[in-house]
Amino acid sequence: MKNVTLVEHPLIQHKLTLMRDKNTSTAGFRQLLREISHLLCYEVTRDLELEIKNIETPMGAMEAKTLKGKKLVFASILRAGNGLLEGMLDLVPSARVAHVGLYRDHETLLPVEYYFKAPTDIKDRLTIVVDPMLATANSAIAAVQRLKDRGANNLIFLCLLAAPEGVKAFTDAHKDVPIFTAAIDSHLNEKGYIVPGLGDAGDRMYGTR
Ligand code: PRP
Ligand code: URA
């Protein structure tokens, strides 16, 4: 799986275990996701290009490093993507934001779109698509296709947990889009949930059911 980067930092794995625990509260789950998103953001932006800018420190002139190119786009797959988005914006506050509103039909497991908004100049920017869960990958595949149709041509998909089935389906559909994830679990159950997983991410974040 050369298209996949597993982010196995001990702090992420520790916090992920707390998130998986069914006894973790809604508030605790959201807080942990926000903390993990900082660590994942750090990893997923590791290869961003820098350029040199002339600045003055209180001690004098220097050539200092600064991020090169146009501001990033973070594309959140609603609802659960917002749990990663907020933490990413803590670290990169100037990023532009796209929202892709999708929910998974419980019978067909196919995504149903209810909202889409993205920056018009997305074609000039690196777009990092965020959603905690990559299960069948139907949602991620549709969201990335929607963003490509809008012009995005430089994308990364960032999630917390993936199923092997989802990784394969996503890679088959979007070979050009690398995946970053903190874990690849065992399998999907008959209802399309990741096992052992953490349950329904959106419901656990917002206390719905
Ligand atoms: C969850 C999750 C992903 C999707 C993953 O969203 O946040 O978007 O399921 O499943 P898939 O890979 O099989 O498509 P859900 O549809 O439950 O919506 P929500 O975030 O609004 O709860
Ligand atoms: N969506 C979730 O939130 N959890 C899963 O395990 C699968 C899809």
Side-chain angles (χ1 to χ4, degrees):
M1 289 199 239
K2 61 178 168 39
N3 209 30
V4 182
T5 301
L6 252 186
V7 187
E8 293 182 299
H9 192 288
L11 280 177
I12 295 180
Q13 297 305 320
H14 178 81
K15 290 175 192 294
L16 176 55
T17 297
L18 295 173
M19 289 182 73
R20 289 180 188 273
D21 188 335
K22 67 177 186 185
N23 295 315
T24 295
S25 68
T26 300
F29 189 91
R30 268 204 312 274
Q31 176 62 27
L32 286 159
L33 184 55
R34 192 165 188 131
E35 290 168 8
I36 290 184
S37 65
H38 294 159
L39 300 162
L40 287 173
C41 184
Y42 178 80
E43 284 299 330
V44 80
T45 55
R46 183 179 281 282
D47 293 329
L48 290 184
E49 275 189 78
L50 294 169
E51 64 186 358
I52 299 300
K53 172 182 177 185
N54 294 312
I55 61 162
E56 296 271 340
T57 79
M59 310 303 291
M62 88 169 275
E63 293 188 332
K65 292 171 189 161
T66 183
L67 288 173
K68 185 175 177 184
K70 287 214 177 194
K71 307 276 187 286
L72 306 181
V73 174
F74 296 149
S76 170
I77 304 181
L78 304 176
R79 291 173 298 169
N82 278 4
L84 283 175
L85 171 71
E86 294 302 327
M88 305 270 294
L89 286 172
D90 287 341
L91 293 201
V92 190
S94 60
R96 306 305 191 233
V97 176
H99 290 97
V100 188
L102 294 177
Y103 70 86
R104 225 173 49 143
D105 182 288
H106 285 297
E107 297 300 321
T108 64
L109 300 185
L110 294 174
V112 181
E113 184 179 310
Y114 57 87
Y115 187 77
F116 182 83
K117 191 92 179 172
T120 48
D121 59 352
I122 197 167
K123 68 175 177 20
D124 303 323
R125 302 170 185 270
L126 170 63
T127 299
I128 302 178
V129 185
V130 297
D131 188 332
M133 311 301 278
L134 186 70
T136 63
N138 290 339
S139 305
I141 290 169
V144 166
Q145 191 55 54
R146 195 72 165 81
L147 292 159
K148 283 183 174 176
D149 292 346
R150 178 54 71 95
N153 54 39
N154 184 12
L155 296 111
I156 296 174
F157 182 77
L158 173 66
C159 61
L160 184 59
L161 264 186
E165 298 90 328
V167 171
K168 178 170 185 331
F170 185 86
T171 307
D172 287 349
H174 296 295
K175 285 181 189 46
D176 56 317
V177 181
I179 299 171
F180 281 68
T181 183
I184 300 177
D185 275 10
S186 167
H187 62 278
L188 292 177
N189 71 10
E190 64 292 348
K191 292 187 171 158
Y193 278 86
I194 300 176
V195 181
L198 50 71
D200 187 301
D203 284 346
R204 293 204 59 195
M205 277 174 63
Y206 296 118
T208 49
R209 189 89 195 100

